[in-house]
Amino acid sequence: MDYARAVVVGVASVVVVTALVSGPLVPGVSLTQERDVAYGTGNVTVAEVQFPDRVTIERASFGQDGYYLTVPPAAVRFSTLSGSPTMVYRLAIDELGYTRSTVHFLSESVGERYEATIQSDSFDENELTNETYHGTVGVVVEDSRSRRVVAERAVTVEVVG
């Protein structure tokens, strides 16, 4: 019984001492490392963006209700990339009052070519009244210079099923 009690007291002591040392009691002591990454900084120049020709909203399968949005990736080629800029791949379907975007955090390890994706989304079947919609896909980058649209294109959004 004394051994179990000693283990509990020992573990509790280590937790209390660690909390006191790394807390406000001893300034300047930290047990974690801070990352020095400031996203949206650096420099990025986009040489080319290849967008998909079509986007689909497909009926759910396996007896589920609703529809699912599928946006193929956009192939982005960089001529310069340094630091930690961000890139947003976005879709807008004005007729539905709908927008969707995904932020991509870039770094030099990305290389010259990157496939930007948009996460899927769902629609209730009552929202969809047409077989096709007019949409716009675009890529926005932010670096130390500015936040800017680097490419934009009209796209057909097809309702399937």
Side-chain angles (χ1 to χ4, degrees), residues 47-69:
E48 177 185 22
V49 178
Q50 293 177 337
F51 289 114
D53 290 327
R54 83 181 239 235
V55 172
T56 58
I57 300 174
E58 299 180 49
R59 181 177 289 284
S61 55
F62 304 111
Q64 295 178 336
D65 291 334
Y67 287 77
Y68 290 94
L69 171 71

Side-chain angles (χ1 to χ4, degrees), residues 25-161:
L25 186 62
V26 182
V29 175
S30 176
L31 300 178
T32 60
Q33 289 183 338
E34 291 184 29
R35 292 191 54 164
D36 251 357
V37 176
Y39 291 106
T41 61
N43 185 18
V44 63
T45 305
V46 175
E48 177 185 22
V49 178
Q50 293 177 337
F51 289 114
D53 290 327
R54 83 181 239 235
V55 172
T56 58
I57 300 174
E58 299 180 49
R59 181 177 289 284
S61 55
F62 304 111
Q64 295 178 336
D65 291 334
Y67 287 77
Y68 290 94
L69 171 71
T70 303
V71 182
V76 181
R77 193 170 55 81
F78 305 109
S79 54
T80 61
L81 176 59
S82 64
S84 303
T86 58
M87 179 174 62
V88 176
Y89 182 27
R90 66 181 184 194
L91 166 71
I93 308 170
D94 291 339
E95 295 165 274
L96 295 174
Y98 177 84
T99 59
R100 180 83 168 166
S101 61
T102 300
V103 178
H104 298 268
F105 298 96
L106 305 174
S107 68
E108 295 170 15
S109 65
V110 165
E112 252 183 52
R113 190 170 162 85
Y114 186 81
E115 283 207 347
T117 58
I118 294 181
Q119 289 183 332
S120 223
D121 202 0
S122 61
F123 287 89
D124 187 274
E125 62 185 282
N126 297 332
E127 295 177 77
L128 305 171
T129 56
N130 300 343
E131 292 180 8
T132 61
Y133 293 93
H134 299 286
T136 305
V137 287
V139 170
V140 178
V141 296
E142 182 175 356
D143 60 13
S144 295
R145 295 178 292 172
S146 65
R147 178 179 174 90
R148 59 202 177 277
V149 177
V150 293
E152 200 168 57
R153 177 174 176 223
V155 67
T156 300
V157 180
E158 187 177 342
V159 179
V160 180

